[in-house]
Amino acid sequence: DGNDPGELVGPARYEQLNIQRSVAVDYDKYYDEHPTAIARKFDLEREIPEETVEQLMVDLLEAPVRKDIAQYMSTQLGRPLEAFDIYLEDIGESASSAELEERVTSMFKDETEFQNKIPQVLKGLGYNDEDADFLGTRVNVEIARGAGHAMRPGIPEYNAWLRTNRLDDCLGWDGFDTAMHELGHNLEQLISTHFVPRPLLRNVPNTACTEAFAFLYQNKAREVVGLPEEDEAKAFALASVEGLLAACQIAGPSLVELYTWRWLYKNPDATNEQLRDEMLSIAEEVWNKYFKEYFGEDPYHILAAYQHMIGYPLYLPDYTIGHVISHQIKSHMRGKDLAQETKRICSIGRLTPDQWMKNAVGSGISASQLVNDATDGV
């Protein structure tokens, strides 16, 4: 209403980021071969070179088809796109929110019923009775106060944990949609614990690989509640476009965070205010280079707003890679058995990510499949 908003928080967000930098520097002296947080995240944890991941994100953001997609979105909305429209990823015709809520409530009144029916859900997705019962009875479901989460079993004797949200009186579509994402994680976690060739190979190469299966199974949410796609070719084309939108949406802040951490290492004495100014400047630069043409000016500095940057430093690229890998797997699975391929791929074990992908779908990690399929889908 134009009134004075009162005292603001100040650069508290950037104070926390500076603390993260300080903690990282304390670790640096113990890693002669990987003496920065960036090197440890990319080379040790992610096992994909920093430059390779950066180029992957740039390839997505420079895809010419983004112009055609933006024009389509603008036409559908009946107005020029605005900065916040980068979050608009569901551009197809779908069931109303009321119908989705009704469908979910009729099947799963709460998280307990969802947990009990996971074997039934898996059978509906093509799992045989033995695998559906084995995997479906090894997932504990509970409600989280925040975002959804999935935790793998520490040892084979433990169950996986699935955390989602709910409405006051029912699970609801949002809680179910989130649960399907986390169930994708859980399936990967259980299969890569129980069915890998040997114990030392348990797990998948990195978190991007598990995000791929989370996105894959989240895309099955409507099918599970009885709203399958009638035209599979059209559905795949639409999913390709939406996948590129989602990947680009998160690639922007991923680059902002990476460039900010590079700056932090070059400016170890930066104050919280200097860090804030630089990060907002980087966000503006990335926006102007990759988003402004399609979404106009960004007065909010949206690309610098992600909480993951503070809570989970340098994690954001895993979502970008996850979208890319998920689409490569989704494209590979066309005409194949979802359950069998999920079990086969998640049983490969913890190889390097690129080799894992070659074993999974026959080619390494690349943005080209997603970009090409999105181009065909427009």
Side-chain angles (χ1 to χ4, degrees):
D1 57 9
N3 295 327
D4 184 351
E7 185 177 355
L8 302 179
V9 176
R13 173 183 178 84
Y14 302 93
E15 178 184 3
Q16 292 302 313
L17 186 54
N18 246 333
I19 291 173
Q20 292 281 14
R21 178 206 57 81
S22 177
V23 171
V25 169
D26 287 341
Y27 277 94
D28 289 350
K29 58 180 175 288
Y30 299 108
Y31 292 87
D32 293 338
E33 296 182 5
H34 304 90
T36 68
I38 301 171
R40 290 191 293 277
K41 190 66 178 181
F42 284 90
D43 297 336
L44 288 184
E45 293 183 39
R46 196 170 280 130
E47 294 187 297
I48 308 175
E50 175 188 347
E51 296 76 14
T52 300
V53 175
E54 180 182 6
Q55 188 59 54
L56 180 77
M57 295 188 287
V58 170
D59 288 345
L60 291 166
L61 293 169
E62 290 184 342
V65 71
R66 293 185 69 210
K67 182 175 183 179
D68 296 326
I69 297 172
Q71 290 174 345
Y72 172 78
M73 292 167 65
S74 180
T75 300
Q76 291 296 101
L77 292 172
R79 60 169 173 78
L81 297 182
E82 299 183 54
F84 51 77
D85 288 320
I86 66 169
Y87 300 118
L88 177 59
E89 299 163 9
D90 188 0
I91 61 174
E93 298 179 3
S94 59
S96 67
S97 58
E99 182 179 3
L100 292 172
E101 294 287 352
E102 182 181 347
R103 292 269 184 162
V104 171
T105 302
S106 67
M107 291 185 67
F108 316 106
K109 63 181 180 182
D110 56 25
E111 65 278 6
T112 301
E113 186 169 11
F114 175 73
Q115 175 178 315
N116 293 337
K117 287 186 175 179
I118 290 177
Q120 179 181 324
V121 169
L122 296 182
K123 290 172 186 176
L125 291 173
Y127 283 80
N128 62 45
D129 290 351
E130 182 180 358
D131 286 343
D133 290 336
F134 181 87
L135 297 169
T137 57
R138 284 170 169 77
V139 179
N140 296 335
V141 179
E142 65 179 15
I143 297 302
R145 293 189 177 184
H149 185 253
M151 186 170 70
R152 67 183 304 110
I155 56 177
E157 289 77 13
Y158 290 173
N159 288 355
W161 283 88
L162 185 159
R163 306 177 76 191
T164 186
N165 50 69
R166 60 167 293 165
L167 300 174
D168 289 339
D169 56 349
C170 63
L171 180 61
W173 169 257
D174 186 62
F176 171 70
D177 188 52
T178 300
M180 286 299 297
H181 179 96
E182 305 307 337
L183 181 61
H185 281 303
N186 292 142
L187 291 171
E188 171 275 303
Q189 293 164 346
L190 289 165
I191 293 169
S192 67
T193 295
H194 291 277
F195 299 109
V196 292
R198 55 184 64 87
L200 285 176
L201 288 178
R202 286 175 184 156
N203 212 325
V204 287
N206 57 36
T207 49
C209 297
T210 189
E211 290 295 349
F213 281 91
F215 293 132
L216 186 66
Y217 277 81
Q218 187 172 11
N219 287 339
K220 294 290 183 180
R222 284 181 170 83
E223 179 181 332
V224 170
V225 294
L227 295 169
E229 302 290 350
E230 296 181 0
D231 185 335
E232 291 188 7
K234 182 180 178 180
F236 179 78
L238 181 62
S240 301
V241 173
E242 293 179 342
L244 182 62
L245 283 171
C248 289
Q249 180 266 120
I250 204 67
S254 298
L255 285 178
V256 170
E257 183 182 27
L258 175 59
Y259 297 159
T260 299
W261 271 88
R262 289 176 181 172
W263 184 86
L264 276 171
Y265 267 97
K266 292 179 180 178
N267 299 271
D269 299 321
T271 65
N272 301 327
E273 290 78 9
Q274 289 172 329
L275 172 57
R276 175 195 60 198
D277 294 346
E278 181 63 26
M279 191 169 196
L280 295 182
S281 175
I282 291 171
E284 184 174 2
E285 182 179 345
V286 172
W287 181 271
N288 290 343
K289 187 172 184 179
Y290 297 116
F291 293 89
K292 182 178 178 180
E293 178 183 356
Y294 315 120
F295 297 93
E297 298 285 349
D298 173 26
Y300 318 105
H301 297 100
I302 283 177
L303 301 184
Y306 276 74
Q307 181 58 26
H308 278 68
M309 296 176 179
I310 309 303
Y312 309 96
L314 296 167
Y315 184 92
L316 285 180
D318 283 339
Y319 287 121
T320 311
I321 302 168
H323 281 297
V324 169
I325 291 176
S326 179
H327 185 81
Q328 285 183 265
I329 292 173
K330 187 188 303 177
S331 182
H332 163 80
M333 284 188 174
R334 295 186 74 188
K336 297 183 175 67
D337 186 291
L338 171 71
Q340 288 183 4
E341 284 298 283
T342 297
K343 187 175 180 181
R344 180 187 69 82
I345 294 172
C346 294
S347 298
I348 292 171
R350 202 182 185 286
L351 308 181
T352 58
D354 211 53
Q355 186 59 52
W356 186 85
M357 278 297 292
K358 289 175 181 176
N359 289 15
V361 302
S363 60
I365 301 170
S366 170
S368 60
Q369 186 75 57
L370 178 54
V371 172
N372 292 341
D373 287 341
T375 303
D376 293 340
V378 174

